[in-house]
Amino acid sequence: MTIGQAAGLKLGKAVRDAFGTALKELGNEFPTVVTVDGDVGNSTRTEVFAKAFPERGFNVGIAESNMVGVAAGLAAAGKIPVVSSFAAFLTCNAYDQIRMCVAYPHLNVKMVGSHAGISIGEDGASQMAIEDIALMSALPGVAVVVPADAPSTKHLVKGMLEHHGPVYLRCGRIDVPEIYGPDSVLTIGKANQLRDGKNLTIIANGLMVGIALDAAVALEAKGITARVLDLHTVSPIDQEAIVKAVKETGRLVVAEEHLPHGGVGSAVASVTAQLAPCPIEFVNIGNTYAESGDPEGLLKKYGLTAEAIVAAAEKVCSR
Amino acid sequence: MAIFKPLSLDEMKAKTKVLRRHIVRMTTEAGSGHPSSSMSAVEMVTALFFGGFMQHDPAQPRWNNRDRFILSKGHAVPVLYAALAECGYFPVEELMTLRKLGSRLEGHPNMKRLDCIEASTGSLGQGLSVGIGHALACHMDGLSAHTYVMLGDGEMGEGQVWEALASAEKYKLANLTAIVDQNGYQQTGATKDVLKLTEFQPKIEAFGWHVQTINGNDIEQVIAALKIARSVKDRPTAIVSQTQKGFGILPILAPTGDLNYHGKPLSKELAEKALALLAD
């Protein structure tokens, strides 16, 4: 079963592809946008922009630390730099530079990490960012955005460029189902309700949104109705939507392609602990690195499936 | 737009004493800071800010076409604060708030606190990359602005500096000058004993840069080197500025037996002696 099939979704493009295309399409509307990449522009898709605007695309080589510093300087001088690499190398290799040169001075740098999560597949754990949300959410003032599909990516990329201040946008490698229509409107910082239900709310983002919708269909067959929220912005988090979901459905399952700590689950739990205590179950890769393998096999082995969400939903409903 | 009228050589020499007195006073008042790391850079900073090399305007600190100075060795910020105050970016009296709660003059440069600070620094090795960003943006916008980045010799141990050297050469950033304040010491001792990265000229030249090595505490050599750096039009330039840590107050530091004197303010007693030595 492919992602989104049970929910009747058709397969669309990968988030990274949608990011590259969106950036190119927005190039004239945002004349100060420039790209800075660490020699993986053909993978992160900044190349699409750089080919259309060759004077505005910089490849500084395999040197992520320098890459982030250069982007900070460009931002300080009035540009909107979009700096990108594989999420693992951007957020881990250049973390001090992101902290020191971008977050601390709150510069208008857009950081795009592609190949996030275990769904990149065969390249293995060294290439899989599974801690990037924790790292980037830990930085004061950095918006953290995780689009679920291609149409919403287009919208969120524009939102990212309009947002003043540092933004981290997480992109996956593989093609994902289309959840949103071409005219969908998404706002950074506002969760999006995709389906209503009364027994629990499944909060997900990125690749897990399509899987959550599949799980909601399977749960309905069992007589459990689930609200599904796309929490595409992890920071700043939409407290209002989370509290509303708790008040109206009473229970939460949070599903993410990330470690258990420091990601969406931690962020949501922090909100509920303070504002709306409720039973929560978490679906994530577990406290481990993954391995090489085909994406579908990896998602199954590391528990990122509709079945896992269904099990978590049943468990949370029994609490 | 304001172009500071260059001071005469004698006036600049007098200004170096003014800056040094500020450095001693503010760090002793703060009870912490890095006076000796600041002292080594005084002639270079004086020549840049008062020798007609930097075009800038205290009334418009973020004016697009200003020349930029980034202090990558951020712990030496007292020398920068002293110069900025003398230029009129903020009152000289404010120097005495250094490192105190609520002050704009933090222990390391913070661009969110003061508009005249070009980059937040303090984690070593990062300023040259930020300078490249500035230089690229100025080039794209057809501005004549020049960006100067000052690094420490200990800081050259950071790999990012060498990444930056390579990328600046790629983009032929003739509007960028790196200054290595080679004062010979870092936190735990002599730089040559920590890493043998001491022969900077051939190393940086190997990256395709135009490089000069000078005595950076001789203001006439500094001025001559800055003129040459400005005249190079086809590639980035570097000045290896060989200096002495604590230059200007070495007779005060010598009896302490510590010519490195890293991260230590002078005691009130030593500060008085230093100020007497630095009197006009």
PDB file of all heavy atoms in Angstrom, chain A residues 15 18-19 22 145-160 169 176-188 192 194 206 209 230 232:
ATOM      1  N   VAL A  15       8.596  17.139  -2.047  1.00  0.00           N
ATOM      2  CA  VAL A  15       8.627  18.497  -1.489  1.00  0.00           C
ATOM      3  C   VAL A  15       9.845  19.262  -2.015  1.00  0.00           C
ATOM      4  O   VAL A  15       9.772  20.445  -2.325  1.00  0.00           O
ATOM      5  CB  VAL A  15       8.596  18.436   0.055  1.00  0.00           C
ATOM      6  CG1 VAL A  15       8.946  19.781   0.675  1.00  0.00           C
ATOM      7  CG2 VAL A  15       7.206  17.998   0.530  1.00  0.00           C
ATOM      8  N   ALA A  18       9.079  20.610  -5.403  1.00  0.00           N
ATOM      9  CA  ALA A  18       8.136  21.728  -5.321  1.00  0.00           C
ATOM     10  C   ALA A  18       8.841  22.975  -4.802  1.00  0.00           C
ATOM     11  O   ALA A  18       8.573  24.100  -5.248  1.00  0.00           O
ATOM     12  CB  ALA A  18       6.979  21.359  -4.399  1.00  0.00           C
ATOM     13  N   PHE A  19       9.789  22.790  -3.898  1.00  0.00           N
ATOM     14  CA  PHE A  19      10.556  23.919  -3.362  1.00  0.00           C
ATOM     15  C   PHE A  19      11.353  24.589  -4.484  1.00  0.00           C
ATOM     16  O   PHE A  19      11.298  25.820  -4.661  1.00  0.00           O
ATOM     17  CB  PHE A  19      11.496  23.434  -2.243  1.00  0.00           C
ATOM     18  CG  PHE A  19      12.719  24.281  -2.058  1.00  0.00           C
ATOM     19  CD1 PHE A  19      12.618  25.570  -1.540  1.00  0.00           C
ATOM     20  CD2 PHE A  19      13.968  23.808  -2.439  1.00  0.00           C
ATOM     21  CE1 PHE A  19      13.750  26.371  -1.400  1.00  0.00           C
ATOM     22  CE2 PHE A  19      15.099  24.599  -2.299  1.00  0.00           C
ATOM     23  CZ  PHE A  19      14.995  25.876  -1.792  1.00  0.00           C
ATOM     24  N   ALA A  22       9.031  26.349  -6.909  1.00  0.00           N
ATOM     25  CA  ALA A  22       8.410  27.533  -6.296  1.00  0.00           C
ATOM     26  C   ALA A  22       9.412  28.682  -6.213  1.00  0.00           C
ATOM     27  O   ALA A  22       9.092  29.834  -6.513  1.00  0.00           O
ATOM     28  CB  ALA A  22       7.895  27.185  -4.905  1.00  0.00           C
ATOM     29  N   VAL A 145       9.467  24.961   9.568  1.00  0.00           N
ATOM     30  CA  VAL A 145       8.333  24.635   8.702  1.00  0.00           C
ATOM     31  C   VAL A 145       8.586  23.299   7.998  1.00  0.00           C
ATOM     32  O   VAL A 145       9.668  23.078   7.454  1.00  0.00           O
ATOM     33  CB  VAL A 145       8.130  25.760   7.649  1.00  0.00           C
ATOM     34  CG1 VAL A 145       6.934  25.456   6.764  1.00  0.00           C
ATOM     35  CG2 VAL A 145       7.956  27.113   8.332  1.00  0.00           C
ATOM     36  N   VAL A 146       7.570  22.436   8.026  1.00  0.00           N
ATOM     37  CA  VAL A 146       7.697  21.101   7.435  1.00  0.00           C
ATOM     38  C   VAL A 146       6.510  20.853   6.501  1.00  0.00           C
ATOM     39  O   VAL A 146       5.460  20.398   6.941  1.00  0.00           O
ATOM     40  CB  VAL A 146       7.727  20.009   8.532  1.00  0.00           C
ATOM     41  CG1 VAL A 146       8.063  18.650   7.912  1.00  0.00           C
ATOM     42  CG2 VAL A 146       8.723  20.348   9.627  1.00  0.00           C
ATOM     43  N   PRO A 147       6.649  21.153   5.222  1.00  0.00           N
ATOM     44  CA  PRO A 147       5.515  20.961   4.304  1.00  0.00           C
ATOM     45  C   PRO A 147       5.207  19.479   4.091  1.00  0.00           C
ATOM     46  O   PRO A 147       6.102  18.635   4.138  1.00  0.00           O
ATOM     47  CB  PRO A 147       5.984  21.596   2.993  1.00  0.00           C
ATOM     48  CG  PRO A 147       7.189  22.417   3.335  1.00  0.00           C
ATOM     49  CD  PRO A 147       7.807  21.746   4.523  1.00  0.00           C
ATOM     50  N   ALA A 148       3.923  19.218   3.845  1.00  0.00           N
ATOM     51  CA  ALA A 148       3.468  17.832   3.695  1.00  0.00           C
ATOM     52  C   ALA A 148       3.447  17.376   2.244  1.00  0.00           C
ATOM     53  O   ALA A 148       3.522  16.180   1.970  1.00  0.00           O
ATOM     54  CB  ALA A 148       2.069  17.689   4.289  1.00  0.00           C
ATOM     55  N   ASP A 149       3.308  18.305   1.313  1.00  0.00           N
ATOM     56  CA  ASP A 149       3.181  17.909  -0.093  1.00  0.00           C
ATOM     57  C   ASP A 149       3.612  19.058  -0.996  1.00  0.00           C
ATOM     58  O   ASP A 149       3.981  20.134  -0.507  1.00  0.00           O
ATOM     59  CB  ASP A 149       1.733  17.482  -0.394  1.00  0.00           C
ATOM     60  CG  ASP A 149       0.775  18.667  -0.405  1.00  0.00           C
ATOM     61  OD1 ASP A 149       1.162  19.764   0.059  1.00  0.00           O
ATOM     62  OD2 ASP A 149      -0.367  18.498  -0.888  1.00  0.00           O
ATOM     63  N   ALA A 150       3.531  18.808  -2.299  1.00  0.00           N
ATOM     64  CA  ALA A 150       4.006  19.811  -3.255  1.00  0.00           C
ATOM     65  C   ALA A 150       3.148  21.084  -3.284  1.00  0.00           C
ATOM     66  O   ALA A 150       3.696  22.193  -3.203  1.00  0.00           O
ATOM     67  CB  ALA A 150       4.118  19.187  -4.646  1.00  0.00           C
ATOM     68  N   PRO A 151       1.812  20.964  -3.382  1.00  0.00           N
ATOM     69  CA  PRO A 151       1.024  22.210  -3.431  1.00  0.00           C
ATOM     70  C   PRO A 151       1.197  23.085  -2.190  1.00  0.00           C
ATOM     71  O   PRO A 151       1.290  24.310  -2.297  1.00  0.00           O
ATOM     72  CB  PRO A 151      -0.420  21.709  -3.552  1.00  0.00           C
ATOM     73  CG  PRO A 151      -0.313  20.347  -4.134  1.00  0.00           C
ATOM     74  CD  PRO A 151       0.959  19.780  -3.595  1.00  0.00           C
ATOM     75  N   SER A 152       1.280  22.467  -1.008  1.00  0.00           N
ATOM     76  CA  SER A 152       1.442  23.297   0.186  1.00  0.00           C
ATOM     77  C   SER A 152       2.856  23.862   0.259  1.00  0.00           C
ATOM     78  O   SER A 152       3.079  24.946   0.802  1.00  0.00           O
ATOM     79  CB  SER A 152       1.108  22.509   1.460  1.00  0.00           C
ATOM     80  OG  SER A 152       2.014  21.458   1.681  1.00  0.00           O
ATOM     81  N   THR A 153       3.814  23.157  -0.305  1.00  0.00           N
ATOM     82  CA  THR A 153       5.196  23.662  -0.320  1.00  0.00           C
ATOM     83  C   THR A 153       5.254  24.981  -1.072  1.00  0.00           C
ATOM     84  O   THR A 153       5.898  25.944  -0.642  1.00  0.00           O
ATOM     85  CB  THR A 153       6.141  22.646  -0.986  1.00  0.00           C
ATOM     86  OG1 THR A 153       6.099  21.436  -0.240  1.00  0.00           O
ATOM     87  CG2 THR A 153       7.568  23.169  -1.031  1.00  0.00           C
ATOM     88  N   LYS A 154       4.554  25.010  -2.203  1.00  0.00           N
ATOM     89  CA  LYS A 154       4.543  26.232  -3.017  1.00  0.00           C
ATOM     90  C   LYS A 154       4.073  27.408  -2.157  1.00  0.00           C
ATOM     91  O   LYS A 154       4.667  28.481  -2.178  1.00  0.00           O
ATOM     92  CB  LYS A 154       3.600  26.001  -4.210  1.00  0.00           C
ATOM     93  CG  LYS A 154       3.642  27.087  -5.232  1.00  0.00           C
ATOM     94  CD  LYS A 154       2.744  26.735  -6.409  1.00  0.00           C
ATOM     95  CE  LYS A 154       2.617  27.927  -7.327  1.00  0.00           C
ATOM     96  NZ  LYS A 154       1.721  27.662  -8.455  1.00  0.00           N
ATOM     97  N   HIS A 155       3.040  27.174  -1.415  1.00  0.00           N
ATOM     98  CA  HIS A 155       2.478  28.223  -0.580  1.00  0.00           C
ATOM     99  C   HIS A 155       3.414  28.589   0.574  1.00  0.00           C
ATOM    100  O   HIS A 155       3.608  29.753   0.905  1.00  0.00           O
ATOM    101  CB  HIS A 155       1.134  27.741  -0.022  1.00  0.00           C
ATOM    102  CG  HIS A 155       0.130  28.819   0.055  1.00  0.00           C
ATOM    103  ND1 HIS A 155      -0.637  29.192  -1.018  1.00  0.00           N
ATOM    104  CD2 HIS A 155      -0.184  29.652   1.051  1.00  0.00           C
ATOM    105  CE1 HIS A 155      -1.397  30.191  -0.663  1.00  0.00           C
ATOM    106  NE2 HIS A 155      -1.140  30.505   0.585  1.00  0.00           N
ATOM    107  N   LEU A 156       3.981  27.564   1.190  1.00  0.00           N
ATOM    108  CA  LEU A 156       4.827  27.809   2.361  1.00  0.00           C
ATOM    109  C   LEU A 156       6.173  28.426   1.982  1.00  0.00           C
ATOM    110  O   LEU A 156       6.767  29.161   2.771  1.00  0.00           O
ATOM    111  CB  LEU A 156       5.015  26.511   3.154  1.00  0.00           C
ATOM    112  CG  LEU A 156       3.734  26.025   3.853  1.00  0.00           C
ATOM    113  CD1 LEU A 156       3.894  24.588   4.364  1.00  0.00           C
ATOM    114  CD2 LEU A 156       3.335  26.953   4.998  1.00  0.00           C
ATOM    115  N   VAL A 157       6.638  28.152   0.770  1.00  0.00           N
ATOM    116  CA  VAL A 157       7.887  28.793   0.316  1.00  0.00           C
ATOM    117  C   VAL A 157       7.653  30.295   0.170  1.00  0.00           C
ATOM    118  O   VAL A 157       8.480  31.113   0.590  1.00  0.00           O
ATOM    119  CB  VAL A 157       8.397  28.170  -1.004  1.00  0.00           C
ATOM    120  CG1 VAL A 157       9.505  29.021  -1.621  1.00  0.00           C
ATOM    121  CG2 VAL A 157       8.916  26.757  -0.745  1.00  0.00           C
ATOM    122  N   LYS A 158       6.506  30.655  -0.377  1.00  0.00           N
ATOM    123  CA  LYS A 158       6.186  32.089  -0.480  1.00  0.00           C
ATOM    124  C   LYS A 158       6.071  32.694   0.932  1.00  0.00           C
ATOM    125  O   LYS A 158       6.603  33.772   1.203  1.00  0.00           O
ATOM    126  CB  LYS A 158       4.880  32.286  -1.259  1.00  0.00           C
ATOM    127  CG  LYS A 158       4.594  33.742  -1.535  1.00  0.00           C
ATOM    128  CD  LYS A 158       3.530  33.923  -2.615  1.00  0.00           C
ATOM    129  CE  LYS A 158       3.432  35.397  -2.982  1.00  0.00           C
ATOM    130  NZ  LYS A 158       2.087  35.929  -2.899  1.00  0.00           N
ATOM    131  N   GLY A 159       5.399  31.957   1.822  1.00  0.00           N
ATOM    132  CA  GLY A 159       5.274  32.429   3.206  1.00  0.00           C
ATOM    133  C   GLY A 159       6.633  32.599   3.866  1.00  0.00           C
ATOM    134  O   GLY A 159       6.870  33.548   4.608  1.00  0.00           O
ATOM    135  N   MET A 160       7.532  31.691   3.553  1.00  0.00           N
ATOM    136  CA  MET A 160       8.888  31.752   4.110  1.00  0.00           C
ATOM    137  C   MET A 160       9.612  33.017   3.642  1.00  0.00           C
ATOM    138  O   MET A 160      10.290  33.685   4.421  1.00  0.00           O
ATOM    139  CB  MET A 160       9.647  30.495   3.662  1.00  0.00           C
ATOM    140  CG  MET A 160      11.137  30.530   3.886  1.00  0.00           C
ATOM    141  SD  MET A 160      11.954  28.992   3.370  1.00  0.00           S
ATOM    142  CE  MET A 160      12.278  29.327   1.635  1.00  0.00           C
ATOM    143  N   LEU A 169      13.172  25.356   6.583  1.00  0.00           N
ATOM    144  CA  LEU A 169      12.157  24.585   5.849  1.00  0.00           C
ATOM    145  C   LEU A 169      12.720  23.200   5.575  1.00  0.00           C
ATOM    146  O   LEU A 169      13.813  23.065   5.025  1.00  0.00           O
ATOM    147  CB  LEU A 169      11.812  25.286   4.533  1.00  0.00           C
ATOM    148  CG  LEU A 169      10.682  24.649   3.747  1.00  0.00           C
ATOM    149  CD1 LEU A 169       9.398  25.466   3.916  1.00  0.00           C
ATOM    150  CD2 LEU A 169      11.000  24.568   2.263  1.00  0.00           C
ATOM    151  N   VAL A 176       5.559  12.377  -2.855  1.00  0.00           N
ATOM    152  CA  VAL A 176       4.530  12.179  -1.819  1.00  0.00           C
ATOM    153  C   VAL A 176       3.148  12.492  -2.410  1.00  0.00           C
ATOM    154  O   VAL A 176       3.043  13.211  -3.403  1.00  0.00           O
ATOM    155  CB  VAL A 176       4.781  13.083  -0.588  1.00  0.00           C
ATOM    156  CG1 VAL A 176       5.974  12.584   0.207  1.00  0.00           C
ATOM    157  CG2 VAL A 176       4.982  14.530  -0.993  1.00  0.00           C
ATOM    158  N   PRO A 177       2.091  11.950  -1.792  1.00  0.00           N
ATOM    159  CA  PRO A 177       0.754  12.214  -2.327  1.00  0.00           C
ATOM    160  C   PRO A 177       0.365  13.686  -2.187  1.00  0.00           C
ATOM    161  O   PRO A 177       0.839  14.375  -1.287  1.00  0.00           O
ATOM    162  CB  PRO A 177      -0.153  11.331  -1.468  1.00  0.00           C
ATOM    163  CG  PRO A 177       0.613  11.028  -0.241  1.00  0.00           C
ATOM    164  CD  PRO A 177       2.049  11.048  -0.626  1.00  0.00           C
ATOM    165  N   GLU A 178      -0.504  14.107  -3.086  1.00  0.00           N
ATOM    166  CA  GLU A 178      -1.008  15.487  -3.005  1.00  0.00           C
ATOM    167  C   GLU A 178      -2.171  15.526  -2.037  1.00  0.00           C
ATOM    168  O   GLU A 178      -3.177  14.844  -2.216  1.00  0.00           O
ATOM    169  CB  GLU A 178      -1.451  15.964  -4.388  1.00  0.00           C
ATOM    170  CG  GLU A 178      -0.267  16.326  -5.247  1.00  0.00           C
ATOM    171  CD  GLU A 178      -0.653  17.129  -6.477  1.00  0.00           C
ATOM    172  OE1 GLU A 178      -1.857  17.439  -6.646  1.00  0.00           O
ATOM    173  OE2 GLU A 178       0.241  17.423  -7.270  1.00  0.00           O
ATOM    174  N   ILE A 179      -2.019  16.353  -1.022  1.00  0.00           N
ATOM    175  CA  ILE A 179      -3.037  16.485   0.012  1.00  0.00           C
ATOM    176  C   ILE A 179      -3.862  17.741  -0.228  1.00  0.00           C
ATOM    177  O   ILE A 179      -5.072  17.769  -0.039  1.00  0.00           O
ATOM    178  CB  ILE A 179      -2.352  16.511   1.392  1.00  0.00           C
ATOM    179  CG1 ILE A 179      -1.801  15.110   1.687  1.00  0.00           C
ATOM    180  CG2 ILE A 179      -3.311  16.947   2.488  1.00  0.00           C
ATOM    181  CD1 ILE A 179      -0.612  15.083   2.578  1.00  0.00           C
ATOM    182  N   TYR A 180      -3.166  18.758  -0.679  1.00  0.00           N
ATOM    183  CA  TYR A 180      -3.818  20.056  -0.896  1.00  0.00           C
ATOM    184  C   TYR A 180      -4.092  20.274  -2.377  1.00  0.00           C
ATOM    185  O   TYR A 180      -3.381  19.748  -3.243  1.00  0.00           O
ATOM    186  CB  TYR A 180      -2.913  21.184  -0.391  1.00  0.00           C
ATOM    187  CG  TYR A 180      -2.754  21.186   1.109  1.00  0.00           C
ATOM    188  CD1 TYR A 180      -1.681  20.531   1.716  1.00  0.00           C
ATOM    189  CD2 TYR A 180      -3.685  21.817   1.926  1.00  0.00           C
ATOM    190  CE1 TYR A 180      -1.533  20.527   3.089  1.00  0.00           C
ATOM    191  CE2 TYR A 180      -3.542  21.821   3.306  1.00  0.00           C
ATOM    192  CZ  TYR A 180      -2.465  21.174   3.876  1.00  0.00           C
ATOM    193  OH  TYR A 180      -2.338  21.176   5.244  1.00  0.00           O
ATOM    194  N   GLY A 181      -5.128  21.056  -2.641  1.00  0.00           N
ATOM    195  CA  GLY A 181      -5.410  21.475  -4.000  1.00  0.00           C
ATOM    196  C   GLY A 181      -4.528  22.659  -4.367  1.00  0.00           C
ATOM    197  O   GLY A 181      -3.870  23.248  -3.505  1.00  0.00           O
ATOM    198  N   PRO A 182      -4.528  23.025  -5.640  1.00  0.00           N
ATOM    199  CA  PRO A 182      -3.652  24.121  -6.078  1.00  0.00           C
ATOM    200  C   PRO A 182      -4.014  25.462  -5.448  1.00  0.00           C
ATOM    201  O   PRO A 182      -3.170  26.354  -5.365  1.00  0.00           O
ATOM    202  CB  PRO A 182      -3.851  24.154  -7.602  1.00  0.00           C
ATOM    203  CG  PRO A 182      -5.101  23.388  -7.865  1.00  0.00           C
ATOM    204  CD  PRO A 182      -5.281  22.423  -6.743  1.00  0.00           C
ATOM    205  N   ASP A 183      -5.245  25.618  -4.997  1.00  0.00           N
ATOM    206  CA  ASP A 183      -5.659  26.917  -4.453  1.00  0.00           C
ATOM    207  C   ASP A 183      -5.662  26.954  -2.923  1.00  0.00           C
ATOM    208  O   ASP A 183      -6.170  27.892  -2.318  1.00  0.00           O
ATOM    209  CB  ASP A 183      -7.061  27.274  -4.974  1.00  0.00           C
ATOM    210  CG  ASP A 183      -7.090  27.344  -6.486  1.00  0.00           C
ATOM    211  OD1 ASP A 183      -6.079  27.818  -7.057  1.00  0.00           O
ATOM    212  OD2 ASP A 183      -8.086  26.910  -7.088  1.00  0.00           O
ATOM    213  N   SER A 184      -5.095  25.935  -2.299  1.00  0.00           N
ATOM    214  CA  SER A 184      -5.081  25.900  -0.834  1.00  0.00           C
ATOM    215  C   SER A 184      -4.282  27.072  -0.280  1.00  0.00           C
ATOM    216  O   SER A 184      -3.295  27.499  -0.871  1.00  0.00           O
ATOM    217  CB  SER A 184      -4.439  24.607  -0.344  1.00  0.00           C
ATOM    218  OG  SER A 184      -5.115  23.511  -0.884  1.00  0.00           O
ATOM    219  N   VAL A 185      -4.734  27.568   0.848  1.00  0.00           N
ATOM    220  CA  VAL A 185      -4.031  28.680   1.495  1.00  0.00           C
ATOM    221  C   VAL A 185      -3.482  28.193   2.830  1.00  0.00           C
ATOM    222  O   VAL A 185      -4.222  27.678   3.664  1.00  0.00           O
ATOM    223  CB  VAL A 185      -4.991  29.874   1.708  1.00  0.00           C
ATOM    224  CG1 VAL A 185      -4.292  30.989   2.488  1.00  0.00           C
ATOM    225  CG2 VAL A 185      -5.485  30.392   0.359  1.00  0.00           C
ATOM    226  N   LEU A 186      -2.185  28.327   3.021  1.00  0.00           N
ATOM    227  CA  LEU A 186      -1.567  27.941   4.293  1.00  0.00           C
ATOM    228  C   LEU A 186      -0.790  29.126   4.844  1.00  0.00           C
ATOM    229  O   LEU A 186      -0.192  29.879   4.080  1.00  0.00           O
ATOM    230  CB  LEU A 186      -0.607  26.759   4.121  1.00  0.00           C
ATOM    231  CG  LEU A 186      -1.266  25.400   3.852  1.00  0.00           C
ATOM    232  CD1 LEU A 186      -1.457  25.171   2.370  1.00  0.00           C
ATOM    233  CD2 LEU A 186      -0.428  24.287   4.447  1.00  0.00           C
ATOM    234  N   THR A 187      -0.832  29.262   6.141  1.00  0.00           N
ATOM    235  CA  THR A 187      -0.138  30.376   6.780  1.00  0.00           C
ATOM    236  C   THR A 187       0.894  29.831   7.748  1.00  0.00           C
ATOM    237  O   THR A 187       0.566  28.957   8.568  1.00  0.00           O
ATOM    238  CB  THR A 187      -1.162  31.247   7.559  1.00  0.00           C
ATOM    239  OG1 THR A 187      -2.202  31.608   6.643  1.00  0.00           O
ATOM    240  CG2 THR A 187      -0.507  32.500   8.114  1.00  0.00           C
ATOM    241  N   ILE A 188       2.111  30.359   7.668  1.00  0.00           N
ATOM    242  CA  ILE A 188       3.149  29.933   8.608  1.00  0.00           C
ATOM    243  C   ILE A 188       2.681  30.241  10.032  1.00  0.00           C
ATOM    244  O   ILE A 188       2.217  31.336  10.319  1.00  0.00           O
ATOM    245  CB  ILE A 188       4.490  30.620   8.277  1.00  0.00           C
ATOM    246  CG1 ILE A 188       5.064  29.986   7.006  1.00  0.00           C
ATOM    247  CG2 ILE A 188       5.478  30.530   9.449  1.00  0.00           C
ATOM    248  CD1 ILE A 188       6.413  30.455   6.585  1.00  0.00           C
ATOM    249  N   ASN A 192      -3.278  23.347   9.967  1.00  0.00           N
ATOM    250  CA  ASN A 192      -4.364  23.204   9.003  1.00  0.00           C
ATOM    251  C   ASN A 192      -5.139  21.920   9.260  1.00  0.00           C
ATOM    252  O   ASN A 192      -4.570  20.833   9.263  1.00  0.00           O
ATOM    253  CB  ASN A 192      -3.765  23.180   7.598  1.00  0.00           C
ATOM    254  CG  ASN A 192      -4.758  23.644   6.581  1.00  0.00           C
ATOM    255  OD1 ASN A 192      -5.215  24.777   6.630  1.00  0.00           O
ATOM    256  ND2 ASN A 192      -5.133  22.763   5.674  1.00  0.00           N
ATOM    257  N   LEU A 194      -7.365  18.987   8.235  1.00  0.00           N
ATOM    258  CA  LEU A 194      -7.629  18.308   6.963  1.00  0.00           C
ATOM    259  C   LEU A 194      -8.863  17.417   7.023  1.00  0.00           C
ATOM    260  O   LEU A 194      -9.418  17.045   5.991  1.00  0.00           O
ATOM    261  CB  LEU A 194      -6.421  17.448   6.591  1.00  0.00           C
ATOM    262  CG  LEU A 194      -5.166  18.255   6.251  1.00  0.00           C
ATOM    263  CD1 LEU A 194      -3.938  17.360   6.269  1.00  0.00           C
ATOM    264  CD2 LEU A 194      -5.304  18.928   4.895  1.00  0.00           C
ATOM    265  N   GLY A 206       4.799  16.867   7.412  1.00  0.00           N
ATOM    266  CA  GLY A 206       5.644  16.231   6.408  1.00  0.00           C
ATOM    267  C   GLY A 206       4.996  14.977   5.840  1.00  0.00           C
ATOM    268  O   GLY A 206       3.774  14.883   5.693  1.00  0.00           O
ATOM    269  N   VAL A 209       1.696  13.202   7.167  1.00  0.00           N
ATOM    270  CA  VAL A 209       0.321  13.698   7.014  1.00  0.00           C
ATOM    271  C   VAL A 209      -0.490  12.734   6.142  1.00  0.00           C
ATOM    272  O   VAL A 209      -1.616  12.337   6.494  1.00  0.00           O
ATOM    273  CB  VAL A 209       0.299  15.130   6.429  1.00  0.00           C
ATOM    274  CG1 VAL A 209      -1.137  15.575   6.169  1.00  0.00           C
ATOM    275  CG2 VAL A 209       0.983  16.104   7.391  1.00  0.00           C
ATOM    276  N   ASP A 230      -2.589  19.139  10.101  1.00  0.00           N
ATOM    277  CA  ASP A 230      -1.250  19.271   9.514  1.00  0.00           C
ATOM    278  C   ASP A 230      -0.550  20.399  10.278  1.00  0.00           C
ATOM    279  O   ASP A 230      -0.834  21.577  10.066  1.00  0.00           O
ATOM    280  CB  ASP A 230      -1.380  19.610   8.018  1.00  0.00           C
ATOM    281  CG  ASP A 230      -0.025  19.928   7.381  1.00  0.00           C
ATOM    282  OD1 ASP A 230       1.009  19.723   8.042  1.00  0.00           O
ATOM    283  OD2 ASP A 230      -0.018  20.382   6.219  1.00  0.00           O
ATOM    284  N   HIS A 232       2.204  22.009  10.011  1.00  0.00           N
ATOM    285  CA  HIS A 232       3.358  22.262   9.131  1.00  0.00           C
ATOM    286  C   HIS A 232       4.363  23.213   9.742  1.00  0.00           C
ATOM    287  O   HIS A 232       5.517  23.246   9.344  1.00  0.00           O
ATOM    288  CB  HIS A 232       2.879  22.795   7.779  1.00  0.00           C
ATOM    289  CG  HIS A 232       1.943  23.950   7.888  1.00  0.00           C
ATOM    290  ND1 HIS A 232       2.352  25.204   8.236  1.00  0.00           N
ATOM    291  CD2 HIS A 232       0.594  24.019   7.728  1.00  0.00           C
ATOM    292  CE1 HIS A 232       1.304  26.014   8.279  1.00  0.00           C
ATOM    293  NE2 HIS A 232       0.217  25.321   7.975  1.00  0.00           N
TER     294      HIS A 232
END
